[in-house]
Amino acid sequence: MQAGYLDRPGGHRIRYACAGATDGLPVLLLHGGPGSGISRSAVRRFDPERWRTIAFDQRGCGQSTPGAGDHDNDLADNTTAHLIDDIEALRCQLGIARWVVFGASWGATLALVYAQRHPATTLGLILAGVTMTRWSEIDWLYNGLQRFLPEAWARFAQAIPAPLRHLHPVDAYRALLNADDPATRQAAADAWHEWEAGSISADPRMGWPERWRDPAYRLARARLCAHYFHHRAWLAEDQLLRDAHRLDGIPGYLIQGRLDLQAPPATAHALARAWPDSECVMIDNAGHSTGDAGMAEAVAQAAGRLLERWDGA
């Protein structure tokens, strides 16, 4: 495995790692969150003898610095546009002309933004747990979903102090995650993850992902999530649907859990209708997690179909 850092303006250092065949078809892996960090499981979906995988910790998370958990980091230079520029800088540093892009959850949104801005360098897209980070989706996840999880949402809402309860939960938690008091910031990060954990999988036995057990990880990730969602990812509400024509000629696979509460299937369905070169693959018994039954297999199958396509080109 090759690992290193990409140095960016403003003192940012982006940690990246490459694995697989050096002469394989390049695939960029974009993690979710925002702020979840490199997904080791995503690497395993791509045959190491035929793919060259490239993964990186997006700004502020994982081993990239400065970290979002640092109260002094105001995240002003941590935006969707900055992440797209980081991706292009990484591609150039690694000497890659064109690559396939894989993204899960928030990573699916980022992959779509990248491909629409840089279609000439995008060979294909594989998106899992499809999101476009529209305000309607954000509001559903942190407000509307209470219809299915009323007990958990009551705890999530009650963790907001009375003076902030007039705000949308995303905005209230953003205020708490930027509070001067470290205990207030950590308590907000913990409550944020307790809420998300209740709907990440269709399997009630799933529990918390292992790395969520680290308080520092929870703080950095929650702060990035609230930051990006407060700003609506710096995207217009239907921007990615409106600009889907920019994906013409780019093959795509949308791997979607039928029981996904965090990113309901309507989003993947709408995107597939706007993007004729895509195929929506519904996994009947899966939720949002790529660890749910059938999700990993569908990602691997999509990867295999892209390999066949480019082997025959």
Side-chain angles (χ1 to χ4, degrees):
M1 176 179 287
Q2 172 194 356
Y5 284 92
L6 171 71
D7 291 318
R8 300 291 291 142
H12 283 272
R13 301 196 76 209
I14 309 300
R15 178 70 170 179
Y16 69 87
C18 305
T22 56
D23 60 349
L25 188 64
V27 56
L28 175 68
L29 311 179
L30 297 177
H31 64 70
S36 294
I38 289 175
S39 170
R40 271 69 183 179
S41 62
V43 176
R44 296 195 291 270
R45 312 306 179 215
F46 296 86
D47 183 348
E49 296 185 359
R50 304 190 67 189
W51 289 94
R52 180 188 182 193
T53 58
I54 301 100
F56 74 101
D57 289 323
Q58 295 162 26
R59 290 189 178 210
C61 69
Q63 296 183 61
S64 292
T65 58
D70 183 349
H71 185 51
D72 294 331
N73 182 355
D74 65 7
L75 305 180
D77 56 356
N78 199 323
T79 70
T80 303
H82 286 98
L83 298 185
I84 298 301
D85 289 344
D86 291 344
I87 291 170
E88 269 297 272
L90 180 60
R91 183 185 65 80
C92 292
Q93 178 164 304
L94 296 176
I96 296 171
R98 302 175 74 196
W99 50 13
V100 171
V101 182
F102 167 82
S105 191
W106 155 253
T109 294
L110 190 58
L112 286 166
V113 177
Y114 175 81
Q116 290 184 4
R117 294 186 187 176
H118 299 280
T121 64
T122 306
L123 287 169
L125 291 172
I126 303 174
L127 310 180
V130 180
T131 70
M132 290 186 281
T133 315
R134 297 174 290 181
W135 177 248
S136 56
E137 298 171 50
I138 296 166
D139 180 58
W140 166 258
L141 179 55
Y142 297 103
N143 193 14
L145 188 51
Q146 64 176 292
R147 301 172 195 173
F148 288 88
L149 302 168
E151 302 93 342
W153 197 87
R155 293 191 295 271
F156 181 62
Q158 287 167 6
I160 300 172
L164 297 177
R165 287 181 186 163
H166 66 288
L167 299 174
H168 190 279
V170 167
D171 298 328
Y173 270 87
R174 178 173 177 262
L176 295 171
L177 290 160
N178 286 284
D180 290 333
D181 176 39
T184 298
R185 298 196 297 270
Q186 189 63 59
D190 296 347
W192 182 281
H193 282 82
E194 182 182 354
W195 165 249
E196 285 199 5
S199 58
I200 197 170
S201 173
D203 184 350
R205 301 167 298 176
M206 178 73 76
W208 283 39
E210 184 59 35
R211 54 186 174 171
W212 284 23
R213 301 182 186 282
D214 177 5
Y217 175 92
R218 295 197 298 272
L219 179 58
R221 184 181 177 278
R223 198 160 177 251
L224 282 168
C225 286
H227 172 65
Y228 271 76
F229 297 155
H230 167 80
H231 290 287
R232 307 186 185 194
W234 297 269
L235 300 170
E237 177 68 3
D238 285 318
Q239 178 177 327
L240 297 179
L241 278 179
R242 182 195 67 210
D243 293 343
H245 63 90
R246 297 183 181 179
L247 304 174
D248 288 353
I250 298 175
Y253 296 92
L254 314 180
I255 314 301
Q256 180 65 40
R258 178 77 68 184
L259 305 179
D260 189 338
L261 289 177
Q262 293 198 0
T267 296
H269 179 71
L271 179 60
R273 293 187 64 185
W275 177 16
D277 293 295
S278 70
E279 177 181 338
C280 188
V281 182
M282 288 287 181
I283 310 301
D284 284 339
N285 295 313
H288 191 62
S289 172
T290 54
D292 279 7
M295 293 290 285
E297 294 81 359
V299 170
Q301 289 170 9
R305 292 177 66 180
L306 282 175
L307 277 173
E308 292 173 2
R309 181 187 182 102
W310 294 111
D311 283 349

